[in-house]
Amino acid sequence: MYRGPAGGEDSAPVAEQLQLAVQLEDSLRLLSAKKCSVVAEEEDGATWRACAELGGFGDILRLLLLPLRADDQLEKVDVAACSDQRGVYVGPPIISVLQTTEKDFKDGRLMINDILQDRKRWKHTRSLKIFHGTAGLEGLLSVVAPHLEELQIKDEVQPNVMVEVAKMKSLKRLDVKCVKDLDFPDLPLQLEELGIWYPTENQLRCLERMPRLRSLRVYNAFCADMNFAPSQHRALLWLKVGVNAKHFKNSILSLIQAYASSLQVLHILCSVSKNYLDSACYFPDLGEELGTCGLRALRRLVLVRPPNDPCTEQLAGCLLQCRIIGNSLPPPVHVVCSNYCNVPAS
């Protein structure tokens, strides 16, 4: 055995030997593992998961584990260090809502400084509800964006507001009215619930890339005829649409058909007669058109009556319309009027 200049044994330190032994043991455990779970995440937030049985020592997944372990990219769950979560709220469950009032506005403009000075009011805000105006709103959104999950804006918004909305990575629910005939940025793709008025074509295209979208309300989509591909996510369960039947019916029917495999409840703005707004909300062949959409998951169709065209004075036409449309749909589908004209009294 080699002895150093001082005569002591120059063997590897005990700590290094132990570390090497642990590494060899971990490698052996990886080589003898039976299962491997894999999670892949796309840019839009969609995830792919798999749990695979590992084969012999030559299994390609098993061979990939060793380099990951050697590069310290693979850790034992029971000894892995806690991830760095600086800036993340740690505390009891909270549902903090920031709702503006008339006092928050001066000359139609949001007084952002006054709101931000009251730190308790906005610090952990999860839900933001804006009423009485939108001027200056983008400044507030840039501050609360990191932890905002719900945003409701009553008045019409300009593109600069939606630029801030597009940056929100935690936003799940959005209810917004865009100004008509302006260009707007894309919508956040992780949304679970969306209500939008006057959407642009690029915003509607974003719907196809929203894997978590469960509830959708679209009103006044003044876009050229659009064709939507069948949804690959099968997440949308509830849909409400209100458009000009004379000019944009085909786009809406394509949207409905795209979610036919998952849609359970459908609301359509539909007048009883063609006299209202020059037939803008009149669908004379709605039953037949929906019957060709393949709505195999649909359970309820609600005919939403325009506020200025109630069906209370044309009950016979309302009941007949519900019956005709219902006859064109599969038996499980229950067709009702939003005013419950055809719902039996209990």
Side-chain angles (χ1 to χ4, degrees), residues 8-265:
E9 294 184 359
D10 193 17
S11 59
V14 175
E16 293 181 5
Q17 293 179 348
L18 291 176
Q19 183 180 9
L20 179 60
V22 171
Q23 291 175 349
L24 292 174
E25 182 181 4
D26 287 342
S27 297
L28 180 60
R29 289 179 180 274
L30 285 176
L31 288 174
S32 59
K34 296 180 179 180
K35 293 182 179 180
C36 180
S37 297
V38 180
V39 178
E41 184 172 346
E42 300 178 4
E43 291 184 359
D44 61 5
T47 56
W48 300 75
R49 300 176 185 271
C51 184
E53 295 282 347
L54 295 178
F57 285 160
D59 190 298
I60 187 171
L61 287 177
R62 195 186 301 278
L63 297 178
L64 287 174
L65 295 177
L66 290 179
L68 291 174
R69 178 68 182 88
D71 294 338
D72 292 327
Q73 298 183 45
L74 190 65
E75 297 178 310
K76 279 186 177 180
V77 175
D78 56 347
V79 297
C82 294
S83 60
D84 185 3
Q85 293 185 332
R86 288 173 293 181
V88 177
Y89 170 75
V90 178
I94 55 174
I95 302 177
S96 178
V97 180
L98 172 56
Q99 180 171 318
T100 60
T101 66
E102 293 184 8
K103 296 180 180 179
D104 293 316
F105 292 83
K106 183 177 181 180
D107 298 329
R109 189 170 186 83
L110 187 65
M111 296 186 292
I112 301 176
N113 287 339
D114 291 355
I115 295 177
L116 296 182
Q117 286 176 1
D118 187 358
R119 190 171 179 82
K120 292 182 179 179
R121 188 180 178 192
W122 62 268
K123 183 178 179 181
H124 297 302
T125 295
R126 304 286 185 88
S127 176
L128 179 59
K129 299 183 179 182
I130 302 296
F131 303 101
H132 312 293
T134 60
L137 174 59
E138 63 275 10
L140 178 61
L141 292 180
S142 64
V143 175
V144 301
H147 43 266
L148 200 65
E149 297 181 4
E150 179 180 80
L151 176 60
Q152 180 183 4
I153 306 175
K154 181 180 179 181
D155 295 338
E156 292 183 338
V157 298
Q158 296 288 335
N160 57 343
V161 171
M162 294 304 294
V163 168
E164 295 299 327
V165 172
K167 301 175 184 177
M168 296 180 178
K169 303 302 182 183
S170 300
L171 195 65
K172 298 179 181 179
R173 293 171 291 278
L174 175 64
D175 194 6
V176 67
K177 296 180 181 179
C178 298
V179 176
K180 185 181 176 182
D181 296 331
L182 292 182
D183 294 329
F184 283 85
D186 288 353
L187 297 167
L189 299 181
Q190 77 279 359
L191 291 177
E192 298 176 4
E193 301 175 16
L194 171 63
I196 186 167
W197 278 253
Y198 302 108
T200 58
E201 182 171 344
N202 64 296
Q203 288 175 326
L204 290 176
R205 285 296 175 201
C206 289
L207 301 178
E208 299 175 316
R209 297 181 286 135
M210 293 184 178
R212 300 185 179 96
L213 189 64
R214 299 192 308 265
S215 178
L216 172 64
R217 179 171 57 244
V218 178
Y219 264 64
N220 298 326
F222 295 111
C223 301
D225 282 352
M226 298 177 60
N227 292 318
F228 295 88
S231 174
Q232 302 299 315
H233 309 298
R234 298 183 178 181
L236 192 71
L237 304 176
W238 189 96
L239 173 63
K240 184 175 183 178
V241 292
V243 298
N244 190 309
K246 296 175 63 177
H247 303 293
F248 305 100
K249 179 182 67 175
N250 292 337
S251 297
I252 289 302
L253 288 175
S254 178
L255 179 65
I256 293 172
Q257 189 171 16
Y259 294 103
S261 63
S262 62
L263 192 61
Q264 297 183 15
V265 179

Side-chain angles (χ1 to χ4, degrees), residues 232-335:
Q232 302 299 315
H233 309 298
R234 298 183 178 181
L236 192 71
L237 304 176
W238 189 96
L239 173 63
K240 184 175 183 178
V241 292
V243 298
N244 190 309
K246 296 175 63 177
H247 303 293
F248 305 100
K249 179 182 67 175
N250 292 337
S251 297
I252 289 302
L253 288 175
S254 178
L255 179 65
I256 293 172
Q257 189 171 16
Y259 294 103
S261 63
S262 62
L263 192 61
Q264 297 183 15
V265 179
L266 173 61
H267 292 238
I268 297 182
L269 184 65
C270 178
S271 62
V272 176
S273 68
K274 59 183 179 181
N275 297 326
Y276 176 71
L277 290 181
D278 194 23
S279 303
C281 303
Y282 184 58
F283 295 85
D285 303 314
L286 183 60
E288 296 178 4
E289 291 165 337
L290 290 178
T292 63
C293 289
L295 296 165
R296 55 182 178 273
L298 191 65
R299 293 296 177 266
R300 187 177 182 88
L301 171 63
V302 181
L303 305 181
V304 181
R305 304 309 186 188
N308 297 328
D309 186 42
C311 57
T312 51
E313 298 180 0
Q314 39 191 342
L315 287 177
C318 175
L319 295 174
L320 182 60
Q321 185 184 55
C322 291
R323 183 185 305 168
I324 293 175
I325 294 176
N327 290 338
S328 300
L329 299 174
V333 181
H334 186 34
V335 181

